[in-house]
Amino acid sequence: MEQKLFVYNTLTRKKEEFIPLDAPHVGMYVCGPTVYSDVHLGNCRTFISFDLIFRYLTHLGYKVRYVRNITDAGHLEGDADEGEDKVSKKARLSALEPMEIVQKYTVDFHEVMKTFNALPPSIEPTATGHIIEQIELVKAILDKGYAYEVDGSVYFDVEKYNQTQDYGILNGRKLEDMLNNTRTLGGQDQKHGKLDFALWIKAKPEHLMKWPSPWGVGFPGWHLECSAMSNKYLGHQFDIHGGGMDLMPTHHTNEIAQNVASCGNNPATYWLHTNMLTTNGQKMSKSLGNSFLPNELFNGTHPLLKKGYSPMVVRFFFLQASYRSTIDFSNEAIDAAESFYKRLSEAAKKLASLQQNALVAVDDEIESAIIAACEDCYNGMNDNFNSPKTLDALNNIAKQVNSFAGGTRNSGAIKAETFGRMKKTYNDFFFDVLGLKTEDSEGGDTDELMSLIITLRNQAKVNKDYATSDKIREGLKQIGFQLNDNKQGGTDWTKN
RNA sequence: GGUCGGAUGGCCGAGUGGCUAGGCAGAGGUCUGCAAAACCUCGUACAGCGGUUCGAAUCCGCUUCCGACCUCCA
């Protein structure tokens, strides 16, 4: 690859050059959602961040196998390993089959991701579809002596594991600190150690989702599925493992322990963690009741919102911060993102129809500004997927595009090659890498209707009947259509 | 309480031991019948207190405030 990409690796707490194990192939595993209720905006942010990463790696020419699981079983509600499966709890409450819940929220999740223009992963395996693989993994861990069975449940022996391995390799904590600071939870009686976690859990008779196993009827522990499915689809070693930052200390820590215990190595070279979306400085989460559903945001129906925002504006809002920073949600912040998004989006449209003027002597200043901006698009993303930097570079290109389109600068004063490069870079980054779309055509008859109205208004203008022309413009503005007269005597319109 | 991470101009948000990102909002100008958009110009910020340094917002220490994790969470 000609571009040198650097990524922040949680494992080493440093930015490192990205070197795949088997270029041009890249294996990337991302922990997906638990499909027991609607995905909220914070969940979406994580998947949009990894969509950006997937898109950029692909743009660089890597052949990425992107695996993102669907957790449809085994994910506990409430206290450690004692509670009820999240999916079956919801199913009982709604008097539905567990797979009905799973189906409903999986379909919903896919729809939401599509609205955000997030590409589907290469493989999207489910936990329930990989019970056999999970049982095999438990067997392997038992065989190696890092787990023990108690009355139909199997637990991972963390303290034994830590004798020869570093259990806190990812979260940077020492075992004794973790032991001393873990809160005392109920249901610990079966476990040998406070930090031990369940690999397989014996199902109570009323439990809905359960499978036979060598240890009796039960269901898998939550951390198990990711180890089993990443092994299956990406092998024992692959390049990137990602997820939300809140998964790092426990879920990913246990995942590494399972992999090391069963096959001897940490599964991924680079561990990437996305930061949280916050509201009023607090993590957006279902339990705190401060979460937004995507539709509430699009429609503006959430009480904290003044108005609705389109999915592309929301995506853009996320892109304005780097994936490792928290983003605090506020009306002001997203309004600013909306204006900036429109600016870059309008520039993309102008660029599509922009033709270069007849060549004249090259203006070195414009020429080098454009080349630098094109390089900066890459420099931003190469620096740990720093999308704000790339947006800055894109804005510098947009400035040139607007000057060319508005006639304040002569597009003939750059080399034809540079003009082409500018166009390609802008399109590559705006559409393919950042995954943005322009919100243009309304579809249907709107284009024709607008064209007719604009013709009538321009007749009024020619007749100097400004009362009429302004009335038309004002009226359209009221219903969300902004008319802009351009220098060539024509009129453009945008929908707000 | 323990561990970790933050604090940047009115708002959002990059970055970094010396060369003052960018966007939004605001001010002025060009253009326009008037607007809008666009273009040009302006605003000189890095929590506080010490220290290291020729030089720190950037490194070190302390203080204050905020958050995350330690329990299911993207």
Side-chain angles (χ1 to χ4, degrees), chain A residues 90-111:
Chain A
K90 176 90 180 184
R92 224 186 28 166
L93 292 174
S94 329
L96 294 169
E97 272 296 314
M99 286 317 274
E100 256 182 294
I101 302 292
V102 165
Q103 178 71 10
K104 173 174 158 53
Y105 293 113
T106 301
V107 167
D108 176 73
F109 171 63
H110 288 155
E111 274 172 12

mmCIF file with all atom_site columns, all heavy atoms in Angstrom, chain A residues 90-111:
data_model
loop_
_atom_site.group_PDB
_atom_site.id
_atom_site.type_symbol
_atom_site.label_atom_id
_atom_site.label_alt_id
_atom_site.label_comp_id
_atom_site.label_asym_id
_atom_site.label_entity_id
_atom_site.label_seq_id
_atom_site.pdbx_PDB_ins_code
_atom_site.Cartn_x
_atom_site.Cartn_y
_atom_site.Cartn_z
_atom_site.occupancy
_atom_site.B_iso_or_equiv
_atom_site.pdbx_formal_charge
_atom_site.auth_seq_id
_atom_site.auth_comp_id
_atom_site.auth_asym_id
_atom_site.auth_atom_id
_atom_site.pdbx_PDB_model_num
ATOM 1   N N   . LYS A 1 90  ? -37.169 -10.489 27.447 1.00 0.00 ? 90  LYS A N   1
ATOM 2   C CA  . LYS A 1 90  ? -38.021 -9.634  26.622 1.00 0.00 ? 90  LYS A CA  1
ATOM 3   C C   . LYS A 1 90  ? -39.110 -10.470 25.952 1.00 0.00 ? 90  LYS A C   1
ATOM 4   O O   . LYS A 1 90  ? -40.256 -10.051 25.839 1.00 0.00 ? 90  LYS A O   1
ATOM 5   C CB  . LYS A 1 90  ? -37.152 -8.923  25.577 1.00 0.00 ? 90  LYS A CB  1
ATOM 6   C CG  . LYS A 1 90  ? -37.912 -8.072  24.595 1.00 0.00 ? 90  LYS A CG  1
ATOM 7   C CD  . LYS A 1 90  ? -38.078 -6.654  25.090 1.00 0.00 ? 90  LYS A CD  1
ATOM 8   C CE  . LYS A 1 90  ? -38.864 -5.840  24.063 1.00 0.00 ? 90  LYS A CE  1
ATOM 9   N NZ  . LYS A 1 90  ? -38.978 -4.444  24.456 1.00 0.00 ? 90  LYS A NZ  1
ATOM 10  N N   . ALA A 1 91  ? -38.738 -11.670 25.515 1.00 0.00 ? 91  ALA A N   1
ATOM 11  C CA  . ALA A 1 91  ? -39.708 -12.523 24.835 1.00 0.00 ? 91  ALA A CA  1
ATOM 12  C C   . ALA A 1 91  ? -40.859 -12.881 25.773 1.00 0.00 ? 91  ALA A C   1
ATOM 13  O O   . ALA A 1 91  ? -42.020 -12.827 25.388 1.00 0.00 ? 91  ALA A O   1
ATOM 14  C CB  . ALA A 1 91  ? -39.027 -13.798 24.343 1.00 0.00 ? 91  ALA A CB  1
ATOM 15  N N   . ARG A 1 92  ? -40.545 -13.228 27.000 1.00 0.00 ? 92  ARG A N   1
ATOM 16  C CA  . ARG A 1 92  ? -41.588 -13.601 27.939 1.00 0.00 ? 92  ARG A CA  1
ATOM 17  C C   . ARG A 1 92  ? -42.512 -12.427 28.209 1.00 0.00 ? 92  ARG A C   1
ATOM 18  O O   . ARG A 1 92  ? -43.716 -12.552 28.267 1.00 0.00 ? 92  ARG A O   1
ATOM 19  C CB  . ARG A 1 92  ? -40.945 -14.074 29.231 1.00 0.00 ? 92  ARG A CB  1
ATOM 20  C CG  . ARG A 1 92  ? -41.586 -15.342 29.783 1.00 0.00 ? 92  ARG A CG  1
ATOM 21  C CD  . ARG A 1 92  ? -41.002 -15.632 31.101 1.00 0.00 ? 92  ARG A CD  1
ATOM 22  N NE  . ARG A 1 92  ? -40.575 -14.338 31.663 1.00 0.00 ? 92  ARG A NE  1
ATOM 23  C CZ  . ARG A 1 92  ? -40.256 -14.144 32.914 1.00 0.00 ? 92  ARG A CZ  1
ATOM 24  N NH1 . ARG A 1 92  ? -40.286 -15.121 33.735 1.00 0.00 ? 92  ARG A NH1 1
ATOM 25  N NH2 . ARG A 1 92  ? -39.879 -12.967 33.352 1.00 0.00 ? 92  ARG A NH2 1
ATOM 26  N N   . LEU A 1 93  ? -41.920 -11.251 28.360 1.00 0.00 ? 93  LEU A N   1
ATOM 27  C CA  . LEU A 1 93  ? -42.722 -10.072 28.646 1.00 0.00 ? 93  LEU A CA  1
ATOM 28  C C   . LEU A 1 93  ? -43.662 -9.741  27.512 1.00 0.00 ? 93  LEU A C   1
ATOM 29  O O   . LEU A 1 93  ? -44.778 -9.292  27.715 1.00 0.00 ? 93  LEU A O   1
ATOM 30  C CB  . LEU A 1 93  ? -41.811 -8.869  28.922 1.00 0.00 ? 93  LEU A CB  1
ATOM 31  C CG  . LEU A 1 93  ? -41.003 -8.965  30.211 1.00 0.00 ? 93  LEU A CG  1
ATOM 32  C CD1 . LEU A 1 93  ? -40.031 -7.802  30.309 1.00 0.00 ? 93  LEU A CD1 1
ATOM 33  C CD2 . LEU A 1 93  ? -41.924 -8.981  31.418 1.00 0.00 ? 93  LEU A CD2 1
ATOM 34  N N   . SER A 1 94  ? -43.212 -9.931  26.315 1.00 0.00 ? 94  SER A N   1
ATOM 35  C CA  . SER A 1 94  ? -44.035 -9.579  25.164 1.00 0.00 ? 94  SER A CA  1
ATOM 36  C C   . SER A 1 94  ? -44.858 -10.751 24.666 1.00 0.00 ? 94  SER A C   1
ATOM 37  O O   . SER A 1 94  ? -45.555 -10.634 23.672 1.00 0.00 ? 94  SER A O   1
ATOM 38  C CB  . SER A 1 94  ? -43.165 -9.099  24.011 1.00 0.00 ? 94  SER A CB  1
ATOM 39  O OG  . SER A 1 94  ? -42.016 -8.472  24.463 1.00 0.00 ? 94  SER A OG  1
ATOM 40  N N   . ALA A 1 95  ? -44.764 -11.896 25.346 1.00 0.00 ? 95  ALA A N   1
ATOM 41  C CA  . ALA A 1 95  ? -45.463 -13.108 24.919 1.00 0.00 ? 95  ALA A CA  1
ATOM 42  C C   . ALA A 1 95  ? -45.140 -13.449 23.469 1.00 0.00 ? 95  ALA A C   1
ATOM 43  O O   . ALA A 1 95  ? -46.006 -13.745 22.670 1.00 0.00 ? 95  ALA A O   1
ATOM 44  C CB  . ALA A 1 95  ? -46.974 -12.976 25.106 1.00 0.00 ? 95  ALA A CB  1
ATOM 45  N N   . LEU A 1 96  ? -43.868 -13.343 23.148 1.00 0.00 ? 96  LEU A N   1
ATOM 46  C CA  . LEU A 1 96  ? -43.426 -13.660 21.795 1.00 0.00 ? 96  LEU A CA  1
ATOM 47  C C   . LEU A 1 96  ? -42.381 -14.757 21.884 1.00 0.00 ? 96  LEU A C   1
ATOM 48  O O   . LEU A 1 96  ? -41.765 -14.963 22.926 1.00 0.00 ? 96  LEU A O   1
ATOM 49  C CB  . LEU A 1 96  ? -42.784 -12.441 21.148 1.00 0.00 ? 96  LEU A CB  1
ATOM 50  C CG  . LEU A 1 96  ? -43.687 -11.238 20.875 1.00 0.00 ? 96  LEU A CG  1
ATOM 51  C CD1 . LEU A 1 96  ? -42.824 -10.051 20.497 1.00 0.00 ? 96  LEU A CD1 1
ATOM 52  C CD2 . LEU A 1 96  ? -44.680 -11.556 19.767 1.00 0.00 ? 96  LEU A CD2 1
ATOM 53  N N   . GLU A 1 97  ? -42.179 -15.417 20.772 1.00 0.00 ? 97  GLU A N   1
ATOM 54  C CA  . GLU A 1 97  ? -41.076 -16.352 20.682 1.00 0.00 ? 97  GLU A CA  1
ATOM 55  C C   . GLU A 1 97  ? -39.771 -15.569 20.716 1.00 0.00 ? 97  GLU A C   1
ATOM 56  O O   . GLU A 1 97  ? -39.695 -14.479 20.119 1.00 0.00 ? 97  GLU A O   1
ATOM 57  C CB  . GLU A 1 97  ? -41.147 -17.098 19.341 1.00 0.00 ? 97  GLU A CB  1
ATOM 58  C CG  . GLU A 1 97  ? -41.985 -18.353 19.367 1.00 0.00 ? 97  GLU A CG  1
ATOM 59  C CD  . GLU A 1 97  ? -41.398 -19.407 20.298 1.00 0.00 ? 97  GLU A CD  1
ATOM 60  O OE1 . GLU A 1 97  ? -40.182 -19.640 20.249 1.00 0.00 ? 97  GLU A OE1 1
ATOM 61  O OE2 . GLU A 1 97  ? -42.185 -19.991 21.072 1.00 0.00 ? 97  GLU A OE2 1
ATOM 62  N N   . PRO A 1 98  ? -38.735 -16.088 21.365 1.00 0.00 ? 98  PRO A N   1
ATOM 63  C CA  . PRO A 1 98  ? -37.453 -15.372 21.368 1.00 0.00 ? 98  PRO A CA  1
ATOM 64  C C   . PRO A 1 98  ? -36.985 -15.010 19.953 1.00 0.00 ? 98  PRO A C   1
ATOM 65  O O   . PRO A 1 98  ? -36.500 -13.908 19.724 1.00 0.00 ? 98  PRO A O   1
ATOM 66  C CB  . PRO A 1 98  ? -36.510 -16.375 22.015 1.00 0.00 ? 98  PRO A CB  1
ATOM 67  C CG  . PRO A 1 98  ? -37.372 -17.209 22.887 1.00 0.00 ? 98  PRO A CG  1
ATOM 68  C CD  . PRO A 1 98  ? -38.699 -17.279 22.206 1.00 0.00 ? 98  PRO A CD  1
ATOM 69  N N   . MET A 1 99  ? -37.165 -15.933 19.014 1.00 0.00 ? 99  MET A N   1
ATOM 70  C CA  . MET A 1 99  ? -36.673 -15.632 17.674 1.00 0.00 ? 99  MET A CA  1
ATOM 71  C C   . MET A 1 99  ? -37.496 -14.545 16.984 1.00 0.00 ? 99  MET A C   1
ATOM 72  O O   . MET A 1 99  ? -37.047 -13.933 16.033 1.00 0.00 ? 99  MET A O   1
ATOM 73  C CB  . MET A 1 99  ? -36.614 -16.905 16.813 1.00 0.00 ? 99  MET A CB  1
ATOM 74  C CG  . MET A 1 99  ? -35.454 -17.838 17.181 1.00 0.00 ? 99  MET A CG  1
ATOM 75  S SD  . MET A 1 99  ? -33.861 -17.023 17.493 1.00 0.00 ? 99  MET A SD  1
ATOM 76  C CE  . MET A 1 99  ? -33.213 -16.907 15.847 1.00 0.00 ? 99  MET A CE  1
ATOM 77  N N   . GLU A 1 100 ? -38.703 -14.302 17.481 1.00 0.00 ? 100 GLU A N   1
ATOM 78  C CA  . GLU A 1 100 ? -39.501 -13.183 16.961 1.00 0.00 ? 100 GLU A CA  1
ATOM 79  C C   . GLU A 1 100 ? -38.867 -11.853 17.358 1.00 0.00 ? 100 GLU A C   1
ATOM 80  O O   . GLU A 1 100 ? -38.806 -10.907 16.574 1.00 0.00 ? 100 GLU A O   1
ATOM 81  C CB  . GLU A 1 100 ? -40.916 -13.247 17.551 1.00 0.00 ? 100 GLU A CB  1
ATOM 82  C CG  . GLU A 1 100 ? -41.970 -13.759 16.602 1.00 0.00 ? 100 GLU A CG  1
ATOM 83  C CD  . GLU A 1 100 ? -43.348 -13.751 17.257 1.00 0.00 ? 100 GLU A CD  1
ATOM 84  O OE1 . GLU A 1 100 ? -43.534 -14.525 18.225 1.00 0.00 ? 100 GLU A OE1 1
ATOM 85  O OE2 . GLU A 1 100 ? -44.206 -12.993 16.813 1.00 0.00 ? 100 GLU A OE2 1
ATOM 86  N N   . ILE A 1 101 ? -38.425 -11.810 18.616 1.00 0.00 ? 101 ILE A N   1
ATOM 87  C CA  . ILE A 1 101 ? -37.734 -10.611 19.109 1.00 0.00 ? 101 ILE A CA  1
ATOM 88  C C   . ILE A 1 101 ? -36.465 -10.386 18.304 1.00 0.00 ? 101 ILE A C   1
ATOM 89  O O   . ILE A 1 101 ? -36.189 -9.280  17.822 1.00 0.00 ? 101 ILE A O   1
ATOM 90  C CB  . ILE A 1 101 ? -37.337 -10.815 20.598 1.00 0.00 ? 101 ILE A CB  1
ATOM 91  C CG1 . ILE A 1 101 ? -38.557 -11.095 21.452 1.00 0.00 ? 101 ILE A CG1 1
ATOM 92  C CG2 . ILE A 1 101 ? -36.543 -9.635  21.121 1.00 0.00 ? 101 ILE A CG2 1
ATOM 93  C CD1 . ILE A 1 101 ? -39.469 -9.943  21.589 1.00 0.00 ? 101 ILE A CD1 1
ATOM 94  N N   . VAL A 1 102 ? -35.712 -11.459 18.167 1.00 0.00 ? 102 VAL A N   1
ATOM 95  C CA  . VAL A 1 102 ? -34.446 -11.387 17.451 1.00 0.00 ? 102 VAL A CA  1
ATOM 96  C C   . VAL A 1 102 ? -34.666 -10.895 16.020 1.00 0.00 ? 102 VAL A C   1
ATOM 97  O O   . VAL A 1 102 ? -33.967 -10.009 15.532 1.00 0.00 ? 102 VAL A O   1
ATOM 98  C CB  . VAL A 1 102 ? -33.777 -12.781 17.458 1.00 0.00 ? 102 VAL A CB  1
ATOM 99  C CG1 . VAL A 1 102 ? -32.659 -12.860 16.437 1.00 0.00 ? 102 VAL A CG1 1
ATOM 100 C CG2 . VAL A 1 102 ? -33.261 -13.108 18.854 1.00 0.00 ? 102 VAL A CG2 1
ATOM 101 N N   . GLN A 1 103 ? -35.664 -11.465 15.370 1.00 0.00 ? 103 GLN A N   1
ATOM 102 C CA  . GLN A 1 103 ? -35.951 -11.105 13.989 1.00 0.00 ? 103 GLN A CA  1
ATOM 103 C C   . GLN A 1 103 ? -36.328 -9.627  13.879 1.00 0.00 ? 103 GLN A C   1
ATOM 104 O O   . GLN A 1 103 ? -35.813 -8.881  13.054 1.00 0.00 ? 103 GLN A O   1
ATOM 105 C CB  . GLN A 1 103 ? -37.097 -11.977 13.458 1.00 0.00 ? 103 GLN A CB  1
ATOM 106 C CG  . GLN A 1 103 ? -37.522 -11.670 12.036 1.00 0.00 ? 103 GLN A CG  1
ATOM 107 C CD  . GLN A 1 103 ? -36.486 -12.106 11.016 1.00 0.00 ? 103 GLN A CD  1
ATOM 108 O OE1 . GLN A 1 103 ? -35.527 -12.798 11.357 1.00 0.00 ? 103 GLN A OE1 1
ATOM 109 N NE2 . GLN A 1 103 ? -36.669 -11.691 9.781  1.00 0.00 ? 103 GLN A NE2 1
ATOM 110 N N   . LYS A 1 104 ? -37.228 -9.202  14.759 1.00 0.00 ? 104 LYS A N   1
ATOM 111 C CA  . LYS A 1 104 ? -37.719 -7.817  14.719 1.00 0.00 ? 104 LYS A CA  1
ATOM 112 C C   . LYS A 1 104 ? -36.570 -6.820  14.868 1.00 0.00 ? 104 LYS A C   1
ATOM 113 O O   . LYS A 1 104 ? -36.419 -5.898  14.072 1.00 0.00 ? 104 LYS A O   1
ATOM 114 C CB  . LYS A 1 104 ? -38.743 -7.602  15.834 1.00 0.00 ? 104 LYS A CB  1
ATOM 115 C CG  . LYS A 1 104 ? -39.212 -6.172  16.001 1.00 0.00 ? 104 LYS A CG  1
ATOM 116 C CD  . LYS A 1 104 ? -40.331 -6.094  17.045 1.00 0.00 ? 104 LYS A CD  1
ATOM 117 C CE  . LYS A 1 104 ? -40.505 -4.715  17.654 1.00 0.00 ? 104 LYS A CE  1
ATOM 118 N NZ  . LYS A 1 104 ? -40.668 -3.618  16.711 1.00 0.00 ? 104 LYS A NZ  1
ATOM 119 N N   . TYR A 1 105 ? -35.745 -7.027  15.883 1.00 0.00 ? 105 TYR A N   1
ATOM 120 C CA  . TYR A 1 105 ? -34.707 -6.031  16.140 1.00 0.00 ? 105 TYR A CA  1
ATOM 121 C C   . TYR A 1 105 ? -33.510 -6.172  15.208 1.00 0.00 ? 105 TYR A C   1
ATOM 122 O O   . TYR A 1 105 ? -32.768 -5.209  15.015 1.00 0.00 ? 105 TYR A O   1
ATOM 123 C CB  . TYR A 1 105 ? -34.308 -6.046  17.619 1.00 0.00 ? 105 TYR A CB  1
ATOM 124 C CG  . TYR A 1 105 ? -35.448 -5.557  18.486 1.00 0.00 ? 105 TYR A CG  1
ATOM 125 C CD1 . TYR A 1 105 ? -36.111 -6.402  19.372 1.00 0.00 ? 105 TYR A CD1 1
ATOM 126 C CD2 . TYR A 1 105 ? -35.900 -4.243  18.361 1.00 0.00 ? 105 TYR A CD2 1
ATOM 127 C CE1 . TYR A 1 105 ? -37.173 -5.945  20.138 1.00 0.00 ? 105 TYR A CE1 1
ATOM 128 C CE2 . TYR A 1 105 ? -36.967 -3.783  19.109 1.00 0.00 ? 105 TYR A CE2 1
ATOM 129 C CZ  . TYR A 1 105 ? -37.606 -4.640  19.997 1.00 0.00 ? 105 TYR A CZ  1
ATOM 130 O OH  . TYR A 1 105 ? -38.657 -4.194  20.737 1.00 0.00 ? 105 TYR A OH  1
ATOM 131 N N   . THR A 1 106 ? -33.341 -7.363  14.641 1.00 0.00 ? 106 THR A N   1
ATOM 132 C CA  . THR A 1 106 ? -32.273 -7.506  13.651 1.00 0.00 ? 106 THR A CA  1
ATOM 133 C C   . THR A 1 106 ? -32.649 -6.746  12.383 1.00 0.00 ? 106 THR A C   1
ATOM 134 O O   . THR A 1 106 ? -31.845 -5.990  11.823 1.00 0.00 ? 106 THR A O   1
ATOM 135 C CB  . THR A 1 106 ? -32.043 -8.998  13.309 1.00 0.00 ? 106 THR A CB  1
ATOM 136 O OG1 . THR A 1 106 ? -31.710 -9.689  14.504 1.00 0.00 ? 106 THR A OG1 1
ATOM 137 C CG2 . THR A 1 106 ? -30.923 -9.160  12.304 1.00 0.00 ? 106 THR A CG2 1
ATOM 138 N N   . VAL A 1 107 ? -33.887 -6.928  11.960 1.00 0.00 ? 107 VAL A N   1
ATOM 139 C CA  . VAL A 1 107 ? -34.356 -6.221  10.764 1.00 0.00 ? 107 VAL A CA  1
ATOM 140 C C   . VAL A 1 107 ? -34.284 -4.713  10.993 1.00 0.00 ? 107 VAL A C   1
ATOM 141 O O   . VAL A 1 107 ? -33.799 -3.951  10.156 1.00 0.00 ? 107 VAL A O   1
ATOM 142 C CB  . VAL A 1 107 ? -35.804 -6.660  10.419 1.00 0.00 ? 107 VAL A CB  1
ATOM 143 C CG1 . VAL A 1 107 ? -36.418 -5.729  9.390  1.00 0.00 ? 107 VAL A CG1 1
ATOM 144 C CG2 . VAL A 1 107 ? -35.804 -8.101  9.918  1.00 0.00 ? 107 VAL A CG2 1
ATOM 145 N N   . ASP A 1 108 ? -34.719 -4.290  12.155 1.00 0.00 ? 108 ASP A N   1
ATOM 146 C CA  . ASP A 1 108 ? -34.691 -2.876  12.504 1.00 0.00 ? 108 ASP A CA  1
ATOM 147 C C   . ASP A 1 108 ? -33.258 -2.327  12.482 1.00 0.00 ? 108 ASP A C   1
ATOM 148 O O   . ASP A 1 108 ? -32.986 -1.265  11.942 1.00 0.00 ? 108 ASP A O   1
ATOM 149 C CB  . ASP A 1 108 ? -35.319 -2.706  13.897 1.00 0.00 ? 108 ASP A CB  1
ATOM 150 C CG  . ASP A 1 108 ? -35.253 -1.269  14.377 1.00 0.00 ? 108 ASP A CG  1
ATOM 151 O OD1 . ASP A 1 108 ? -36.025 -0.463  13.837 1.00 0.00 ? 108 ASP A OD1 1
ATOM 152 O OD2 . ASP A 1 108 ? -34.429 -0.962  15.250 1.00 0.00 ? 108 ASP A OD2 1
ATOM 153 N N   . PHE A 1 109 ? -32.350 -3.098  13.051 1.00 0.00 ? 109 PHE A N   1
ATOM 154 C CA  . PHE A 1 109 ? -30.939 -2.686  13.088 1.00 0.00 ? 109 PHE A CA  1
ATOM 155 C C   . PHE A 1 109 ? -30.395 -2.506  11.663 1.00 0.00 ? 109 PHE A C   1
ATOM 156 O O   . PHE A 1 109 ? -29.735 -1.516  11.348 1.00 0.00 ? 109 PHE A O   1
ATOM 157 C CB  . PHE A 1 109 ? -30.133 -3.739  13.851 1.00 0.00 ? 109 PHE A CB  1
ATOM 158 C CG  . PHE A 1 109 ? -28.639 -3.550  13.794 1.00 0.00 ? 109 PHE A CG  1
ATOM 159 C CD1 . PHE A 1 109 ? -28.056 -2.425  14.344 1.00 0.00 ? 109 PHE A CD1 1
ATOM 160 C CD2 . PHE A 1 109 ? -27.825 -4.500  13.191 1.00 0.00 ? 109 PHE A CD2 1
ATOM 161 C CE1 . PHE A 1 109 ? -26.671 -2.242  14.301 1.00 0.00 ? 109 PHE A CE1 1
ATOM 162 C CE2 . PHE A 1 109 ? -26.450 -4.329  13.135 1.00 0.00 ? 109 PHE A CE2 1
ATOM 163 C CZ  . PHE A 1 109 ? -25.879 -3.195  13.699 1.00 0.00 ? 109 PHE A CZ  1
ATOM 164 N N   . HIS A 1 110 ? -30.709 -3.458  10.804 1.00 0.00 ? 110 HIS A N   1
ATOM 165 C CA  . HIS A 1 110 ? -30.236 -3.366  9.423  1.00 0.00 ? 110 HIS A CA  1
ATOM 166 C C   . HIS A 1 110 ? -30.801 -2.146  8.715  1.00 0.00 ? 110 HIS A C   1
ATOM 167 O O   . HIS A 1 110 ? -30.103 -1.470  7.960  1.00 0.00 ? 110 HIS A O   1
ATOM 168 C CB  . HIS A 1 110 ? -30.607 -4.641  8.650  1.00 0.00 ? 110 HIS A CB  1
ATOM 169 C CG  . HIS A 1 110 ? -29.785 -5.820  9.061  1.00 0.00 ? 110 HIS A CG  1
ATOM 170 N ND1 . HIS A 1 110 ? -30.218 -7.120  8.921  1.00 0.00 ? 110 HIS A ND1 1
ATOM 171 C CD2 . HIS A 1 110 ? -28.557 -5.900  9.617  1.00 0.00 ? 110 HIS A CD2 1
ATOM 172 C CE1 . HIS A 1 110 ? -29.276 -7.943  9.362  1.00 0.00 ? 110 HIS A CE1 1
ATOM 173 N NE2 . HIS A 1 110 ? -28.266 -7.230  9.794  1.00 0.00 ? 110 HIS A NE2 1
ATOM 174 N N   . GLU A 1 111 ? -32.078 -1.866  8.973  1.00 0.00 ? 111 GLU A N   1
ATOM 175 C CA  . GLU A 1 111 ? -32.694 -0.693  8.342  1.00 0.00 ? 111 GLU A CA  1
ATOM 176 C C   . GLU A 1 111 ? -32.020 0.594   8.794  1.00 0.00 ? 111 GLU A C   1
ATOM 177 O O   . GLU A 1 111 ? -31.723 1.476   7.988  1.00 0.00 ? 111 GLU A O   1
ATOM 178 C CB  . GLU A 1 111 ? -34.189 -0.636  8.673  1.00 0.00 ? 111 GLU A CB  1
ATOM 179 C CG  . GLU A 1 111 ? -35.011 -1.463  7.715  1.00 0.00 ? 111 GLU A CG  1
ATOM 180 C CD  . GLU A 1 111 ? -36.472 -1.584  8.135  1.00 0.00 ? 111 GLU A CD  1
ATOM 181 O OE1 . GLU A 1 111 ? -36.901 -0.840  9.048  1.00 0.00 ? 111 GLU A OE1 1
ATOM 182 O OE2 . GLU A 1 111 ? -37.169 -2.423  7.549  1.00 0.00 ? 111 GLU A OE2 1
#
